[in-house]
């Protein structure tokens, strides 16, 4: 099987790109709706911004007759019920719930977009408060769904944003039927809400149009700033992507890292189809096999790319099998630490990571082979003996799902008084050095959990492994270690060095870990760097 050369593009799809004029469609629409709202406000809304503050009713409001709704009539009660269910506060709560859902589902860009959309509702309130345009006044003015100021109309702004959220969530789930149905239902809901507000006498036509323009402006601002594809742009791009590159990818995934595996499959299928690749091979890990046999099956299938959707343990297992094969590996970060992804600037947003996997460039990085008392393993991020292994072993897996990397901090507090051990350290061909410590860390990368820099000079392609030896015995020593981690600067009292080969021999069996997975105890740990053994897709 022929593999791409190092630093080459991960994809050479022949699918044409979308016209440049569509690239900024969200920005153009956002600016257009914003200008339209400002002009409409200036022309039609009484208040400080209006050309005539004494104006009582814009000319356009005369196009509709004055409503004559009865408070206790069936139509009046139905309109009030609808106004209650479409109350902006309720809509704001639903959108905020969508923000939380999108973030936990690793739709980071979507969560940003939804947060911006949610901001449109309090913005409407501030604008209405500033313009101070009282509602027309009617029997429903004391309703819980009524607002003191009617321009721009709060309900229409909220429902416009809610409809956009509905369609955008359907788009993010790659459900075409839901997008179409959501669009129809969304516009219908906005129209019905507008009729309800007018019928109750809570808004004039100009108020309703102002509310829609403001909501549309925020919806397109959310798309623009969030960086996710607009509905129109995505539809045109799908129509343009017809040719096939005859390439195929395999996805090795850890099912415990995903609450909705069908969503992951749809997200991958959508990006693969847009790139013109053949249907993907799916390989699921098991508790007994975190990815090794799956990686071998992917090699046997002669795929062109292996995507790894899982945590650091899955990444280590797969990369260990792919090392030396020149098979490209792409990461879809799905764990708690995602240390290799963070150090290679791979996005934590799932859609962005999948897109990068198909269109990024290949970079050769080092792996490190570790030999210990009972065998031999590879690691790609970090390995350690002593305190860090005890922390990893003490970390509660259930707590990791709730507070993620904070679970490691809880485990660190539980192991705040570790037992020191004596070890002999040999670096390359240098004379051995004997010293006492509580922790020996080896790093192929520099950054650890929560973005803290542990090895300031480490890069995964320098042909060296960095070594930190620490023996903090006092509070001030722990403070120095914390300062070194937070600042990325070397502090007095800690040995920080580099080598191609590291040998650690201890006076008793010491627990050790590889890429966050505890691997038992050993008295000997020998590490050696394999230059450029693994080819990973990274940003261009």
């Amino acid at each position: 099987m022929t593999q791409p050369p190092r630093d080459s593009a991960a994809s050479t799809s022949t699918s044409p790109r979308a016209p440049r004029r569509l690239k900024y469609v969200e920005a153009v629409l956002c600016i257009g709706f914003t200008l339209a709202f400002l002009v409409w406000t200036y022309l039609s809304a009484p208040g400080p911004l209006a050309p005539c503050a004494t104006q009582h009713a814009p000319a356009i409001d005369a196009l509709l007759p004055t409503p004559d709704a009865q408070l206790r009539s069936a139509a009046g009660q139905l309109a009030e019920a609808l106004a209650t269910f479409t109350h902006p506060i309720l809509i704001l709560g639903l959108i905020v719930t969508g923000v939380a859902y999108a973030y936990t589902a690793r739709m980071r860009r979507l969560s940003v977009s939804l947060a911006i959309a949610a901001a449109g509702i309090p913005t409407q309130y501030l604008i209405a408060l500033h313009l101070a345009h009282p509602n027309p006044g009617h029997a429903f003015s004391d309703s819980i769904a009524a607002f003191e100021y009617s321009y721009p109309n709060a309900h229409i702004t909220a429902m416009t944003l809610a409809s956009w959220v509905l369609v955008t969530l359907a788009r993010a789930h790659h459900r075409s039927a839901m997008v179409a149905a959501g669009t129809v239902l969304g516009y219908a809901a906005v129209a019905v809400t507008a009729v309800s507000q007018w019928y109750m006498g809570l808004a004039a036509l100009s108020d309703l149009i102002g509310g829609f323009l403001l909501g549309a402006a925020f919806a397109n601002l959310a798309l623009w700033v969030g960086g996710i594809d607009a509905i129109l742009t995505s539809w045109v791009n799908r129509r343009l992507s017809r040719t096939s590159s005859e390439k195929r990818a395999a996805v090795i995934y850890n099912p415990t890292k995903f609450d909705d595996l069908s969503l992951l499959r749809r997200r991958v299928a959508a990006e693969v189809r847009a790139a013109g690749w053949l249907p993907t091979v799916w390989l699921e890990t098991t508790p007994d096999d975190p990815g090794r046999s799956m990686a071998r099956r992917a090699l046997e299938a002669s795929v062109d790319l292996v995507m790894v959707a899982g945590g650091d343990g899955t990444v280590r297992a797969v990369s260990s099998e792919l090392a030396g094969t020149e098979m490209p590996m792409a990461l879809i970060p799905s764990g708690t630490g995602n240390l290799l992804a963070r150090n290679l600037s791979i996005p934590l947003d799932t859609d962005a990571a999948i897109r990068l996997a198909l269109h990024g460039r290949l970079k050769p990085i080092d792996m490190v082979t570790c030999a210990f008392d009972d065998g031999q393993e590879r690691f790609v991020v970090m390995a350690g003996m002593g305190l860090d292994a005890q922390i990893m072993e003490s970390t509660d897996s259930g707590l990791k799902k709730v507070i993620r990397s904070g679970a490691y901090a809880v485990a660190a507090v539980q192991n705040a008084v570790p037992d020191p051990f004596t070890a002999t350290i040999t670096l390359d061909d240098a004379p051995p050095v004997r010293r006492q410590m509580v922790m020996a860390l080896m790093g192929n990368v520099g950054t650890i959990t929560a973005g803290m820099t542990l090895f300031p000079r480490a890069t995964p392609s320098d042909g060296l492994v960095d070594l930190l030896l620490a023996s903090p015995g006092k509070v001030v020593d722990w403070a120095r270690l914390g300062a070194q981690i937070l600042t990325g600067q070397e502090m007095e009292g800690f040995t920080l060095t580099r080598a191609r080969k590291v040998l650690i021999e201890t006076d008793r069996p010491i627990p050790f870990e590889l890429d966050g997975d505890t691997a038992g105890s050993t008295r000997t740990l020998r590490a050696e760097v394999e230059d450029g053994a693994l080819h990973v897709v990274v940003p261009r």
Side-chain angles (χ1 to χ4, degrees):
M1 178 178 63
T2 303
Q3 298 296 340
R6 293 184 179 184
D7 293 321
S8 66
S11 170
T12 56
S13 174
T14 56
S15 301
R17 294 191 177 185
R20 183 174 295 275
R21 64 183 175 84
L22 290 175
K23 183 177 181 181
Y24 301 108
V25 63
E26 304 97 328
V28 172
L29 290 175
C30 173
I31 295 172
F33 277 114
T34 301
L35 291 176
F37 173 73
L38 293 175
V39 171
W40 185 258
T41 299
Y42 181 80
L43 294 177
S44 65
L49 297 183
C52 178
T54 60
Q55 180 183 359
H56 294 291
I60 192 171
D61 293 332
L63 296 176
L64 291 177
T66 302
D68 186 23
Q70 298 298 318
L71 184 63
R72 296 301 178 185
S73 67
Q77 293 183 48
L78 181 62
E80 186 170 20
L82 177 62
T84 302
F85 282 114
T86 59
H87 197 285
I89 299 300
L90 178 60
I91 299 300
L92 178 61
L94 293 175
I95 296 178
V96 170
T97 301
V99 173
Y101 161 75
Y103 187 83
T104 55
R106 296 189 181 276
M107 300 178 181
R108 307 299 173 91
R109 291 183 178 180
L110 178 61
S111 66
V112 171
S113 293
L114 295 183
I116 294 172
I121 295 177
T123 300
Q124 177 280 329
Y125 175 77
L126 294 175
I127 293 174
L129 194 65
H130 175 68
L131 294 176
H133 179 194
N135 68 50
H138 204 269
F140 290 89
S141 295
D142 60 348
S143 169
I144 62 172
F147 286 87
E148 181 179 1
Y149 303 120
S150 65
Y151 184 90
N153 184 261
H155 282 72
I156 294 301
T157 298
M159 284 304 295
T160 301
L161 291 169
S163 300
W164 171 85
V165 168
L166 175 65
V167 174
T168 304
L169 285 174
R171 171 72 183 90
H173 283 71
H174 302 283
R175 294 187 182 276
S176 301
M178 287 179 60
V179 171
T183 302
V184 173
L185 290 175
Y187 280 118
V190 173
V192 171
T193 302
V195 171
S196 170
Q197 289 288 294
W198 171 82
Y199 180 75
M200 295 172 65
L202 299 178
L205 179 58
S206 58
D207 303 329
L208 300 174
I209 294 176
F212 172 76
L213 292 175
L214 180 62
F218 263 90
N220 283 281
L221 176 66
L223 284 172
W224 180 16
V225 176
I228 61 178
D229 294 337
I231 306 300
L232 175 62
T233 308
S234 299
W235 179 80
V236 173
N237 286 345
R238 285 202 303 270
R239 300 279 292 184
L240 291 173
S241 300
R242 293 295 187 184
T243 56
S244 173
S245 66
E246 300 300 323
K247 289 188 176 183
R248 186 189 299 273
V251 175
I252 299 175
Y253 65 99
N254 182 344
T256 65
K257 300 297 183 180
F258 297 92
D259 294 327
D260 188 348
L261 285 172
S262 64
L263 173 58
L264 174 66
R265 286 179 175 268
R266 291 195 303 273
R267 293 161 89 172
V268 171
E271 294 297 337
V272 166
R273 185 168 56 249
W277 287 40
L278 297 174
T280 304
V281 176
W282 290 84
L283 302 169
E284 182 177 310
T285 66
T286 66
D288 297 328
D289 187 346
R292 294 184 182 278
S293 67
M294 297 77 191
R296 291 193 293 269
R297 287 166 58 190
L299 290 171
E300 293 169 358
S302 297
V303 298
D304 300 280
L305 173 69
V306 173
M307 301 185 196
V308 183
D312 292 326
T314 307
V315 171
R316 182 175 71 86
V318 174
S319 60
S320 295
E321 294 297 322
L322 299 184
T325 67
E326 296 191 354
M327 169 65 73
M329 183 181 81
L331 303 179
I332 304 176
S334 311
T336 303
N338 303 307
L339 296 185
L340 183 59
R342 294 177 190 273
N343 280 273
L344 295 177
S345 300
I346 293 171
L348 300 182
D349 179 90
T350 299
D351 286 317
I354 297 170
R355 197 170 298 120
L356 172 65
L358 300 172
H359 302 287
R361 68 179 178 90
L362 292 181
K363 177 178 181 177
I365 67 170
D366 304 333
M367 291 203 70
V368 183
T369 299
C370 274
F372 42 91
D373 290 351
D374 297 327
Q376 178 175 299
E377 294 277 359
R378 287 186 173 106
F379 75 85
V380 68
V381 173
M382 207 165 290
M385 300 180 69
L387 177 60
D388 71 307
Q390 294 172 16
I391 291 174
M392 298 297 176
E393 189 173 12
S394 302
T395 301
D396 184 84
S397 57
L399 196 60
K400 284 171 63 176
K401 294 182 179 180
V402 178
I403 61 175
R404 306 190 70 80
S405 58
Y408 295 115
V410 174
V413 172
Q414 296 172 346
N415 292 273
V417 188
D419 294 329
F421 60 92
T422 302
T424 301
I425 314 297
T426 305
L427 304 178
D428 293 330
D429 298 325
V433 176
R434 188 176 178 84
R435 60 170 298 172
Q436 193 176 61
M437 67 192 77
V438 298
M439 177 174 61
L441 276 176
M442 291 182 287
N444 192 37
V445 300
T447 301
I448 60 172
T449 302
M452 296 181 293
T453 300
L454 191 60
F455 300 106
R457 295 181 292 167
T459 62
S461 56
D462 57 10
L464 299 171
V465 61
D466 287 56
L467 177 66
L468 170 67
L469 306 177
S471 182
K474 304 177 183 177
V475 173
V476 66
D477 295 331
W478 285 105
R480 286 198 190 104
L481 179 60
Q484 176 169 310
I485 292 174
L486 292 174
T487 65
Q489 303 295 320
E490 297 184 26
M491 294 290 171
E492 180 182 355
F494 301 96
T495 300
L496 193 59
T497 187
R498 321 177 76 198
R500 292 187 59 82
K501 298 179 182 179
V502 176
L503 173 61
I504 303 176
E505 299 170 290
T506 65
D507 58 346
R508 67 176 190 275
I510 301 297
F512 71 105
E513 55 87 11
L514 302 171
D515 285 347
D517 291 334
T518 55
S521 298
T522 185
R523 296 186 60 173
T524 302
L525 191 63
R526 187 189 307 271
E528 183 172 353
V529 177
E530 298 178 68
D531 290 9
L534 186 66
H535 292 75
V536 183
V537 181
V538 299
R540 293 182 180 274

